[in-house]
Amino acid sequence: MEFQYVKVEVLLPEEYIEKVRNELNNIGVLKVGAYDNVVSYSFVKGYWRPLEEANPFNGTKGEVSSGTECKMEFRCLFGRIKEAEMLIRSIHPYEEPIINIIPILT
């Protein structure tokens, strides 16, 4: 099955949202009809434990950490998803960013 659009969810610190949004908009990914910069975000609570080989942005190796981060969401043409993902990874501060790509049926 082929999809025209996907929904992208990215977990990241709030202070990175504006930069990621601006750069995605600059490459034309956040355009919907006659609008650009079309993105939403919400605050979420997260947990993680950096393992010994990790280089954590936040937290201490071997200890369960928790904190508030943001879930940024936007619609993207399926044909542009690799470009969008590479751009997000180039800005994102986490060693292992969570980027969920979900097919949209309509």
Side-chain angles (χ1 to χ4, degrees):
M1 179 178 282
E2 292 189 29
F3 302 96
Q4 183 176 5
Y5 292 100
V6 294
K7 175 184 173 185
V8 180
E9 299 176 344
V10 182
L11 297 177
L12 71 168
E14 184 179 20
E15 61 267 24
Y16 285 83
I17 288 178
E18 195 169 320
K19 180 167 179 56
V20 171
R21 186 206 68 210
N22 289 343
E23 294 302 320
L24 287 169
N25 196 67
N26 287 343
I27 64 169
V29 171
L30 300 181
K31 188 169 186 223
V32 177
Y35 297 85
D36 69 1
N37 283 282
V38 180
V39 64
S40 298
Y41 76 93
S42 55
F43 293 96
V44 296
K45 178 91 174 181
Y47 292 91
W48 65 95
R49 178 173 52 200
L51 301 177
E52 191 57 40
E53 64 274 12
N55 183 22
F57 172 77
N58 195 349
T60 303
K61 290 181 183 183
E63 295 181 20
V64 175
S65 300
S66 67
T68 300
E69 58 187 349
C70 292
K71 179 167 62 169
M72 180 180 187
E73 303 175 78
F74 60 94
R75 186 180 79 170
C76 181
L77 281 168
F78 180 72
R80 306 277 316 269
I81 193 58
K82 289 297 180 196
E83 180 183 8
E85 183 181 7
M86 285 178 21
L87 188 144
I88 292 166
R89 288 183 185 279
S90 75
I91 298 168
H92 204 295
Y94 295 172
E95 183 176 17
E96 299 288 345
I98 301 296
I99 303 171
N100 298 320
I101 301 167
I102 304 158
I104 297 176
L105 296 176
T106 58

